Amino acid sequence: MYVVLGASGNTGSVVATNLLGQGQRVRVVGRNAAHLQRLATAGAEVFVGDITDASALTKAFQEADSAYVMIPPNPASNDFRAYQDRATDAIAAAVQKAGVKNVVALSSFGGDKASGTGPVAGLHDLEQKLNQIGGANVLSLRAGYFMENTLPQANVIRMAGSVIGPLNANLKLPMIAARDIGAAAATALAGLAFHGQQTQELHGQRDLDYTEATSILGQAIGKPDLKYIQAPDSQMRGALLQMGMSENFVGLMFEMFAALNGGYMQALEPRSASNTTPTKFETFVAEEFLPAYRQQTAA
């Protein structure tokens, strides 16, 4: 039995779908049963529970040999690090009490740092708490910069005529599609070749900076002269707040932006066949960004 947390999300849904496609018994966990219906139709067992409820998660993990765990986003939280602490405490306690033997956890590059990385510090804590569980095999996947982070630019381009963001224009990032993270996690869970406490970085198909990414976006939407603008913090702060993020969460995001721009938060592994994933940014743009941009334009 496999248990998948965050099963309605970008990575968890892929983990669950891939395991179900292999004929595995899968229990999917989420906050909303309706969002899990597609997986239920595909044969998954549905469990509705809150990620911070250790008692509920312990029930969700019953009979499970292996699990995919992650902290669902909660950008409106007024104390996001406290939310992460409650979630990581609950996940670790439930894994231990239910006796789950194999755990694949969604972490991030920068997960080696205990502080100074904004929300990524909570993923460091998740790794540490899982690694302290006796008898459990834990693989922490330190994923790169999600390509999905570019999706809000569909509206920014429509409104401002440029790509606007907080990162240095020439900062190379290991950009990865969420689908590839889910696929890697499912492969790890199906194979169970990890033992003890391990980490693995996932770097995406290649490193990209926002200058090149913007060029690719521009070509796709018919704006070959599209430019990237690194916005001042004051402008970015207002934009993030308008997106519904709390003041607390925005503050953590700026700590992460500074860690990225300054090189404090970066991938540690050299690129290799094992940490390179298949989806090109051009493919992501054609299949996910372009439809989002066209929808914004139509609206």
Side-chain angles (χ1 to χ4, degrees):
M1 157 87 86
Y2 293 93
V3 171
V4 178
L5 300 189
S8 61
N10 286 333
T11 63
S13 62
V14 177
V15 177
T17 298
N18 286 15
L19 291 173
L20 287 166
Q22 297 170 24
Q24 303 290 352
R25 185 181 172 202
V26 179
R27 181 180 295 146
V28 293
V29 182
R31 292 169 287 190
N32 187 317
H35 294 165
L36 299 170
Q37 186 54 47
R38 179 184 64 81
L39 294 168
T41 302
E45 180 183 330
V46 170
F47 187 98
V48 177
D50 188 274
I51 197 73
T52 62
D53 186 339
S55 176
L57 289 186
T58 301
K59 292 177 183 176
F61 286 146
Q62 289 298 321
E63 304 176 2
D65 301 306
S66 307
Y68 174 71
V69 305
M70 51 88 71
I71 307 173
N74 187 11
S77 170
N78 290 318
D79 192 342
F80 185 75
R81 290 291 287 110
Y83 158 73
Q84 286 182 307
D85 283 342
R86 293 194 302 274
T88 53
D89 283 346
I91 291 168
V95 166
Q96 186 163 24
K97 288 179 182 177
V100 180
K101 295 301 181 188
N102 308 292
V103 180
V104 173
L106 176 60
S107 186
S108 169
F109 76 111
D112 56 298
K113 304 288 195 302
S115 62
T117 57
V120 176
L123 303 179
H124 170 87
D125 292 348
L126 174 62
E127 290 186 20
Q128 295 302 307
K129 291 171 185 178
L130 291 172
N131 287 345
Q132 291 168 12
I133 299 172
N137 301 308
V138 178
L139 175 63
S140 296
L141 294 178
R142 292 179 176 171
Y145 185 88
F146 279 41
M147 292 179 185
E148 284 75 7
N149 291 338
T150 65
L151 288 174
Q153 296 292 343
N155 188 48
V156 175
I157 294 168
R158 186 178 65 83
M159 298 291 290
S162 302
V163 172
I164 302 174
L167 298 177
N168 294 338
N170 59 353
L171 174 67
K172 291 288 188 181
L173 296 164
M175 283 199 186
I176 186 168
R179 69 181 85 166
D180 288 353
I181 301 168
T187 297
L189 285 167
L192 296 180
F194 57 94
H195 304 285
Q197 293 78 43
Q198 296 180 216
T199 62
Q200 180 187 350
E201 292 185 349
L202 296 174
H203 289 190
Q205 185 264 339
R206 70 187 191 275
D207 290 357
L208 287 168
D209 59 32
Y210 258 95
T211 299
E212 183 179 356
T214 297
S215 176
I216 294 167
L217 293 174
Q219 292 293 335
I221 64 175
K223 295 181 182 294
D225 296 328
L226 189 68
K227 302 299 183 187
Y228 174 72
I229 298 172
Q230 184 180 357
D233 286 359
S234 58
Q235 181 180 347
M236 283 304 307
R237 185 175 296 275
L240 295 175
L241 291 171
Q242 281 190 333
M243 290 171 64
M245 299 180 187
S246 70
E247 288 272 6
N248 173 263
F249 187 78
V250 169
L252 290 170
M253 292 296 287
F254 273 94
E255 182 176 272
M256 183 182 73
F257 299 150
L260 287 166
N261 284 331
Y264 176 67
M265 177 179 160
Q266 58 183 313
L268 300 180
E269 298 176 10
R271 181 173 288 279
S272 67
S274 63
N275 61 30
T276 296
T277 53
T279 303
K280 295 181 179 181
F281 187 61
E282 290 86 347
T283 303
F284 169 83
V285 170
E287 295 179 357
E288 298 192 43
F289 185 89
L290 189 55
Y293 178 77
R294 286 173 173 163
Q295 186 176 12
Q296 285 284 353
T297 303

